[in-house]
Amino acid sequence: MTTEERSAPETDAAERQMLEGWRDYHRATLAMKCEGLTDTRLREASVPPS
């Protein structure tokens, strides 16, 4: 999986456009952080249950 370069969303856009921009920004961030992980690692809990 390759991710595109992420860019910060506009801060002076209409509300919906800004919300969609931030959503896409955070999705790209998550994809970048998960890139290269195996299926097993992706399914592993980040912390043990309490």
Side-chain angles (χ1 to χ4, degrees):
M1 170 197 237
T2 59
T3 57
E4 297 177 14
E5 185 81 20
R6 69 184 175 136
S7 58
E10 295 190 37
T11 57
D12 61 346
E15 183 178 10
R16 182 176 182 105
Q17 185 180 3
M18 198 178 329
L19 287 170
E20 289 174 350
W22 281 108
R23 177 202 61 202
D24 295 341
Y25 177 80
H26 288 293
R27 283 181 176 173
T29 300
L30 180 62
M32 285 173 37
K33 289 183 177 200
C34 293
E35 191 171 341
L37 294 177
T38 64
D39 187 50
T40 303
R41 291 286 302 197
L42 286 170
R43 295 175 186 274
E44 188 176 298
S46 57
V47 294
S50 59

